[in-house]
Amino acid sequence: MNSDADAPRLTGLITYATIATAIVALLLLTNWPTYQYEVRGGPIPLYFYALPAVLIIPMLFADPGSAVRFLRDPLFWWFVVFVVIGLFSLLLAQDFMENAARQWRLRLLALMFFYTITILASGSQRRLIGWVMVGCVLLACALCWFDVLRPGRIVPQGIEGSSERGAGLFINPNIAGSFIVMGTIAALPMIPSRLRGLLLVAAVFGVAGTFSRGAFVMVTIAMAGMIWLKLVKRAQGMVLVLALPVLVGGVSLAYDYAIDTSENRHVKGVVERLNWFRDTAEEDSAVEGRKWGAKRAWEAFLDSPAIGNGIGATSLAVDLDGPHNMYLMLMAEHGIFGFLLYISLCALLVRQGRSVARWARSVRDRDIGNSMALFGMALAVYGFFSHNVLEDPFTVFLMAFLTAAAFGARRVATADARRYVRPRTVARDAATPV
């Protein structure tokens, strides 16, 4: 093969893949499709969600091998099983077939996202995409606090999912906080180590604006995991610890300003959240609603622990309040297998990430593996606070991006192993008497 002749084609393919992945990232990591539909009355999100499937077509023509490159990846087959088991469980959803079919289509969309985005990201300059992800995280942080200081400007009161807390384009504060944490985890290996501490400080400040209990737990675990896995240097971790009092003081001042300028009309939910942190024995309406939804899902699981009640059994169309818990939702839908299904997804991410980190040939590849493992841990925690984990497009995008990055790291490790191990093996065999 003439490498000089192939160079322009490969350069063009990389450029195209980078631009295509960046476009998809800007759409999915800002939540623009849902925001413009729910708030601005624009076209349905499906028009935007079909974009990755369209953008992948030129790549498949230019590099047909990319179509089968990830078919052996365990995460791809996890999504296949996720879709197939949902298809079979449609038979159990006789009383809510229409809603069950809608939930199954969302699973099919998640599989399509994972497959197409993994291929796009695998051919892109992932460091540039990492900076796009950083920009989306910083935008989310800024808009969350703009939402707190100027309530109703981004998401008018009365929109379903909106609240008095900061959410920005994500509409829902819990989703906004979760994206900030998970987006930070996925972006860290792609930026210089000297800037990672600053990104983490921005993420903590952004999460504070959401007043989301689940996001607070996630960012705390993420901070500890980043220091433990050496994704941030120890000195940066110490700076972050020292900066926390400043962050707390800034949040307090911003909160006081919000109360003074809003005439107490938009801060009821925030007050409830702060009271909950101050006195955990006192429960607000959100806690009561979550407990009710979780109880209903647990009862549904006990009614059919072996095979479940069918896909969509705990959705809002069936139960007035969802379980807000991936584990309970899948247990109610698929029985004990549903619980093992979600656990296996988190375990696959952790296992693959640690394997990449163990065999990495560079610090950056090691960080990619550790980031993937930490993402799996964050996904396990996120599952306790949301039943929409795999319906959030940003979750699947970040997972696919890390899968593509881990694939690249493994490929480098394999090439190095062949380069340095095989000569020693050949020399040993040559010295062995016949």
Side-chain angles (χ1 to χ4, degrees):
M1 180 180 293
N2 191 336
S3 58
D4 293 336
D6 289 339
R9 182 182 69 85
L10 293 176
T11 301
L13 187 62
I14 292 172
T15 301
Y16 173 82
T18 302
I19 295 174
T21 308
I23 292 173
V24 175
L26 288 172
L27 285 175
L28 301 187
L29 301 186
T30 58
N31 200 47
W32 175 254
T34 301
Y35 173 79
Q36 60 83 33
Y37 174 71
E38 296 287 348
V39 178
R40 303 300 178 187
I44 60 174
L46 186 61
Y47 292 143
F48 296 92
Y49 293 161
L51 189 59
V54 175
L55 292 175
I56 200 178
I57 294 175
M59 284 199 65
L60 296 181
F61 277 105
D63 182 17
S66 62
V68 297
R69 187 170 296 155
F70 294 97
L71 293 186
R72 292 186 296 177
D73 190 277
L75 285 171
F76 169 80
W77 286 105
W78 186 94
F79 276 99
V80 171
V81 172
F82 188 53
V83 170
V84 171
I85 195 67
L87 181 61
F88 281 119
S89 72
L90 282 174
L91 302 175
L92 303 176
Q94 299 178 4
D95 298 331
F96 42 91
M97 179 62 73
E98 182 178 351
N99 186 66
R102 175 184 175 276
Q103 296 298 116
W104 181 78
R105 287 195 295 270
L106 290 175
R107 294 191 181 188
L108 192 62
L109 183 64
L111 171 61
M112 185 273 289
F113 272 166
F114 182 82
Y115 177 70
T116 56
I117 294 170
T118 302
I119 293 177
L120 286 174
S122 68
S124 67
Q125 293 181 336
R126 286 183 289 276
R127 289 189 179 182
L128 294 179
I129 304 302
W131 282 110
V132 174
M133 293 160 57
V134 169
C136 291
V137 169
L138 296 179
L139 177 65
C141 294
L143 291 181
C144 281
W145 274 105
F146 182 84
D147 226 359
V148 172
L149 301 177
R150 291 290 186 269
R153 300 292 181 89
I154 299 177
V155 182
Q157 298 295 316
I159 299 294
E160 184 179 358
S162 65
S163 71
E164 302 87 350
R165 299 173 286 139
L169 299 180
F170 286 88
I171 305 175
N172 186 301
N174 299 314
I175 297 177
S178 300
F179 163 70
I180 291 172
V181 177
M182 301 179 79
T184 300
I185 293 173
L188 277 185
M190 304 300 156
I191 64 175
S193 59
R194 66 180 182 277
L195 300 178
R196 295 177 185 178
L198 295 176
L199 178 60
L200 190 52
V201 170
V204 173
F205 187 74
V207 167
T210 67
F211 296 92
S212 168
R213 289 178 285 243
F216 287 166
V217 174
M218 287 178 64
V219 77
T220 302
I221 294 176
M223 288 168 54
M226 290 172 190
I227 297 173
W228 174 51
L229 295 172
K230 299 180 180 179
L231 287 169
V232 295
K233 295 180 179 179
R234 184 175 301 177
Q236 293 176 329
M238 294 300 298
V239 170
L240 181 61
V241 172
L242 295 176
L244 283 178
V246 178
L247 289 174
V248 172
V251 170
S252 299
L253 291 175
Y255 171 67
D256 292 338
Y257 174 78
I259 291 180
D260 294 338
T261 57
S262 64
E263 298 179 357
N264 296 325
R265 289 178 297 176
H266 303 292
V267 295
K268 178 182 177 182
V270 176
V271 171
E272 285 184 346
R273 295 293 165 129
L274 294 178
N275 286 339
W276 185 86
F277 283 108
R278 184 182 62 187
D279 184 7
T280 55
E282 181 180 351
E283 295 184 353
D284 56 33
S285 56
V287 173
E288 290 296 334
R290 288 174 178 269
K291 289 177 63 176
W292 170 254
K295 180 181 178 182
R296 292 293 300 272
W298 177 250
E299 291 173 349
F301 166 69
L302 294 180
D303 288 341
S304 182
I307 61 175
N309 298 275
I311 186 173
T314 63
S315 62
L316 296 180
V318 178
D319 194 355
L320 293 180
D321 195 359
H324 297 283
N325 188 303
M326 280 294 295
Y327 301 94
L328 289 175
M329 183 193 75
L330 292 175
M331 288 166 65
E333 291 181 350
H334 306 304
I336 191 63
F337 181 76
F339 174 79
L340 298 176
L341 191 64
Y342 192 72
I343 287 291
S344 66
L345 173 62
C346 302
L348 276 175
L349 287 165
V350 174
R351 180 177 179 275
Q352 289 201 79
R354 293 301 293 164
S355 175
V356 169
R358 187 178 303 112
W359 296 102
R361 298 295 179 176
S362 68
V363 174
R364 179 170 172 265
D365 289 347
R366 183 203 66 191
D367 290 346
I368 289 173
N370 286 332
S371 180
M372 190 178 194
L374 184 58
F375 191 89
M377 299 176 196
L379 204 69
V381 176
Y382 189 20
F384 285 105
F385 300 99
S386 173
H387 57 256
N388 303 118
V389 173
L390 297 178
E391 295 174 14
D392 296 330
F394 72 82
T395 306
V396 182
F397 178 93
L398 297 173
M399 200 184 311
F401 178 81
L402 286 173
T403 299
F407 176 83
R410 283 197 299 266
R411 186 164 53 184
V412 170
T414 301
D416 285 349
R418 289 174 177 172
R419 185 180 305 130
Y420 295 110
V421 175
R422 182 176 292 177
R424 290 197 298 267
T425 304
V426 172
R428 182 189 59 193
D429 292 342
T432 302
V434 179

